[in-house]
Amino acid sequence: MPLANASLDTLPPEIIENILITAVGSGDISSIASIAASCKYLFKIVYRATDRHLWRSLFRTTFDDPTSLRCHRVANFDWRRTFEERHWTRRYITSLIQPLVFSDEGIASREDGIYAVRYIQTGDDISHTRALRTLLSIAHTSVPASSHPTHARIASVQTDQRGAPRLVPLVQLHRQTGTWPPDLAGPVLYSENVRWLQDTLARGLPSTLTAKLVLRWIDKVAQQQWFGSQLALDLCAVTALLGLLPIPEMPEGPQSLANPASAPPLSPQIKSYRRGTVDMSEAAQRARAHLVARELVFDMGYLRPYRNWGPYLSVPYRPPEPQGKHDDGDDGDDGDDGDDGDDEDDGDDGDESDGDIVMEPSPLLPPAHKLLPDWSWLAAARIVAESVLRMHRPIEDVQRLVDWNNLREGAWLLPDSEAAKSTATESGADIKVQQVFERDWAGAEGVWRRLVCWLDYESLLALNVLIEPGASEVTDDEDLEFEEAWIIVPLSLRITGYSACPIPEYADRPTIHVEGEMGGAEWLEEGADAGLEDQDVRRVHGTVSMLADGSVRWSITSMDEDNTEDQWASEAIQLGGVGSAMGSLGMWTGVNHEEDDPVGVIWQWRVGEQVPAHAPA
């Protein structure tokens, strides 16, 4: 064929596919639609192919291959639909991300509190939800992190007379391990998904979403209702994983808008009819988000049995039918009506009841298979915990924990070959099929650090008086009187046994039972660094299990200073994939769940193995 008459539609399909893959790999996403629209032949190659090779290859030019995942399940993965959804999400977010433009006079607004920012485009809730869920999918399907090399030393743990692993003194473990997660190592250092998130969210989320977290709410009832909505749960799930993403700032004017680096940012402000002048610098946004989050995290009324005394969504409770009423055969959840005289309206869930399903305090704990994370509370916990770390620790150290690569699964999991070898060794010649599942699938056994945040009891009570319904509006000046106490303590865990998983879909991940030791409130980090053996060491025990949505639940109970009885209970949710380096985030409270029990935040991340210094490598 003469060269002058050559065209794309004369090329073999394999060449067309290679052209598309190369173009998309160089960042030209629009070339897919452009080529497909040129003629029926090319349209058929792009959108009517009989195999998935093209779209799988296009997907892998930009994102991690989901078939490499070991834990997160992606059955029947649709390469084309997922690729197009992620491309749409980037266009949607970047079209709505506008810096907070301000002038010397500030931004005038007659809207109340939360609506005081001048938006150029706002989007809609359905599209917001679609984009947020895509971001979550990308975070959860990032390529697994390489297992930390310290796993090779797990066989060196010594045993006691019963053959159980011997607990290494906590002070010794503290001195042998660092405070923060180890640096990334191994052949898979980087993730295309993480790079995509970093690029797409370099200027944050749409301002209408971020404003919900960084501006004070005038109407506390509206705030409570909104944080119980599905959109809020999706936004807060992203925030719990990625942290707070403040609204970017830049001075007003054509030159500065075209080149944000041309002038240093001033101190952006907004003017609200109800609030007056509001500082919108990044530092002010973070500080205000901390105040909003504090009110949710330290709300003593949040703890309820229908939340399983933890950061979980309320489970609908069906009270028993009155005697004499016909039983329609729907057994629901058994129990009494829980009427203990508490007439408080727990309307923070936003769940309208269906039929006779009502939300009310109940003495019954919901079954494990009904528990789901309350991402609104967990996002608030993330904001409080990260704010504390930013105030008291070097930012370089904080970044080692909050690096988005730490969300990737597998950092603390044995490689598949090592896991199979370990299982066969432990079970001996009489290995059974079910014993294959009895392994440390969560990366639980090892040495951890736990950040614990709380308010002193007087401040905790005072804050709860200020935030209760009908109280006068809380001002920023009043909030500044509160400051979290905090401590980072070592935690060691070892596996003592297994039991059946309550979620049938995760039968291959049995509930892991653990025990160990943890530093108490009087733990002295400097003394431990110097080898001081006389420390506040508490015994701990608990479980690691699966939730129905695929989240990993950490339930740990610690004993009193004499190690004679249980004192504190904690419930936490894994951030990112199974065995991620970012660890788990949650709450602690009294083990007896009394009305005046305190509540606080925990964030724990693994730092190493429980291996004695003198053990052979």
Side-chain angles (χ1 to χ4, degrees), residues 192-209:
E192 295 298 334
N193 283 18
V194 172
R195 286 175 172 170
W196 188 94
L197 288 171
Q198 291 169 338
D199 184 46
T200 302
L201 301 178
R203 294 169 60 193
L205 292 165
S207 299
T208 47
L209 292 175

Side-chain angles (χ1 to χ4, degrees), residues 516-580:
E517 294 180 330
M518 182 179 70
E522 302 302 321
W523 176 269
L524 300 175
E525 183 175 7
E526 296 80 3
D529 290 338
L532 178 64
E533 299 291 339
D534 186 15
Q535 288 278 6
D536 181 8
V537 177
R538 313 289 183 94
R539 297 298 296 256
V540 302
H541 59 89
T543 59
V544 185
S545 58
M546 292 297 299
L547 297 182
D549 70 338
S551 298
V552 180
R553 172 191 179 189
W554 295 76
S555 304
I556 304 294
T557 299
S558 61
M559 305 185 78
D560 60 17
E561 57 185 351
D562 297 323
N563 286 313
T564 57
E565 60 182 18
D566 293 341
Q567 184 177 24
W568 305 114
S570 64
E571 291 280 344
I573 299 296
Q574 187 86 29
L575 294 177
V578 177
S580 70

Side-chain angles (χ1 to χ4, degrees), residues 24-70:
V24 172
S26 64
D28 186 7
I29 306 294
S30 62
S31 61
I32 301 175
S34 299
I35 290 178
S38 60
C39 68
K40 292 182 179 180
Y41 171 71
L42 296 176
F43 182 90
K44 182 178 180 180
I45 291 176
V46 174
Y47 294 118
R48 295 290 186 267
T50 57
D51 58 43
R52 301 187 297 173
H53 171 266
L54 173 60
W55 284 100
R56 180 172 63 247
S57 300
L58 292 174
F59 184 94
R60 293 169 64 180
T61 63
T62 310
F63 301 102
D64 295 330
D65 186 348
T67 62
S68 66
L69 296 171
R70 295 172 54 192

